[in-house]
Amino acid sequence: MYHSNNRLIFCIVDHHALTDKFKIDHDATFEHSLHHDTLALTAALLASGISPDKATLFVQSHVPEHTELTWILSSIGPMSWLNKMTQYKDKKTKSSSLGLYSYPVLMAADILLYKANVVPVGDDQVQHVELTRDYAVRFNSLFCKPNEEFFPMPEYMKSEFPRVMSLRDGLKKMSKSDPSDFARINLVDDPETVMSKVRKAKTDSLSTIKHEESRPEVSNLLRIYSTLEGITLKEAEARFKTANMLSFKEAVAESIVKK
């Protein structure tokens, strides 16, 4: 997709980073971390090969129209749409903020503001794109003439590996909000850190390297390896037919570093 003629937009969503950060106790260090994290992510994206000549890269809070459109969308859609969002149901606590509940509206605004046609997403974000389509339909029906549309219907594009799981728990998504840094691979991790994290990744006591539903951690590492190497899971299994767990993990780490 990056090498096509599509107009590509990369947004560093610092407004989303505020979601559910302030609960009961004020985190005095958060402002500093947000500034640092924004710069670090910008550097990582540029270092990964994203060129300003081919894509638009910007910080969400620098464009006030994101929050302006969020308010308009929040005023035309019913609360029942948000009540169905599974991520809120999974993450909510007694002290959760309104931001955690309503951030899908901001996400819809992020997409619709640029009249995006295609949104690359993981499995857990498909519901958000479907919600965005609901807002687009509602907006167009209210403010456009018959058979006209202001916002196009965005489509989601799943990757071949739509969800990377935690290195500590193969049943949980890899997340930057996980308390343990060893649960994830960060874009800014150096090769030595990547190697250490993968070596310490949770697996199991079985000696074979196989993709099986009953072995989520090993299966996750196999999916990571096969995706990065551009081979099938069966081909990845064949490569490690006689390998032990340590050599398998080292190969996975080397592939991550190489790619």
Side-chain angles (χ1 to χ4, degrees):
M1 189 174 183
Y2 183 73
H3 298 289
S4 68
N5 291 323
N6 294 312
R7 179 192 174 207
L8 303 179
I9 299 171
F10 294 88
C11 178
I12 298 172
V13 288
D14 55 341
H15 278 320
H16 283 291
L18 295 170
T19 303
D20 215 32
K21 293 295 185 184
F22 303 103
K23 296 183 180 178
I24 297 174
D25 298 321
H26 176 69
D27 183 354
T29 65
F30 181 72
E31 186 176 351
H32 272 313
S33 68
L34 179 60
H35 178 73
H36 171 270
D37 293 346
T38 300
L39 293 176
L41 181 56
T42 303
L45 290 172
L46 292 172
S48 70
I50 293 174
S51 169
D53 294 331
K54 293 184 178 180
T56 301
L57 174 63
F58 65 98
V59 178
Q60 183 184 35
S61 63
H62 294 183
V63 184
E65 287 82 357
H66 283 262
T67 50
E68 292 172 4
L69 181 56
T70 297
W71 182 251
I72 294 172
L73 298 181
S74 68
S75 300
I76 65 173
M79 289 177 61
S80 60
W81 289 358
L82 297 179
N83 292 339
K84 295 185 294 185
M85 303 304 290
T86 56
Q87 287 209 31
Y88 174 71
K89 294 177 183 178
D90 293 341
K91 295 180 179 180
K92 68 177 180 179
T93 65
K94 289 183 178 180
S95 55
S96 290
S97 69
L98 175 61
L100 181 64
Y101 177 73
S102 62
Y103 84 89
V105 188
L106 176 58
M107 188 178 292
D110 296 335
I111 296 169
L112 294 178
L113 187 60
Y114 301 94
K115 298 186 175 181
N117 300 109
V118 179
V119 186
V121 293
D123 274 344
D124 59 323
Q125 297 297 321
V126 169
Q127 189 183 30
H128 290 274
V129 179
E130 292 172 345
L131 177 67
T132 300
R133 293 170 59 87
D134 290 338
Y135 279 114
V137 170
R138 177 61 61 88
F139 185 97
N140 290 340
S141 66
L142 289 173
F143 304 116
C144 296
K145 295 179 181 178
N147 301 320
E148 289 185 3
E149 62 176 30
F150 183 79
F151 290 126
M153 295 297 106
E155 301 287 344
Y156 57 81
M157 182 178 71
K158 285 189 178 181
S159 68
E160 295 179 7
F161 188 6
R163 184 177 293 202
V164 183
M165 309 310 285
S166 166
L167 298 179
R168 292 296 194 185
D169 183 349
L171 298 177
K172 289 173 54 180
K173 187 183 76 167
M174 185 181 288
S175 171
K176 59 183 178 296
S177 61
D178 194 295
S180 172
D181 195 52
F182 277 84
R184 60 183 171 270
I185 302 296
N186 301 304
L187 285 172
V188 294
D189 284 344
D190 57 44
E192 185 177 338
T193 301
V194 172
M195 190 67 71
S196 175
K197 287 182 176 181
V198 177
R199 279 192 187 129
K200 295 178 181 178
K202 180 183 176 183
T203 47
D204 54 46
S205 59
L206 300 180
S207 59
T208 56
I209 312 298
K210 283 185 170 291
H211 181 271
E212 297 174 344
E213 188 175 341
S214 60
R215 304 178 69 190
E217 287 79 21
V218 172
S219 297
N220 183 45
L221 293 178
L222 267 172
R223 285 195 300 271
I224 292 173
Y225 180 83
S226 64
T227 301
L228 292 175
E229 294 295 315
I231 60 177
T232 66
L233 283 168
K234 289 294 183 184
E235 289 171 330
E237 285 181 350
R239 288 190 184 184
F240 300 107
K241 188 175 183 179
T242 60
N244 58 37
M245 198 62 71
L246 178 59
S247 61
F248 167 57
K249 287 182 174 181
E250 288 179 344
V252 174
E254 288 172 2
S255 185
I256 293 172
V257 170
K258 180 176 66 177
K259 298 297 182 178

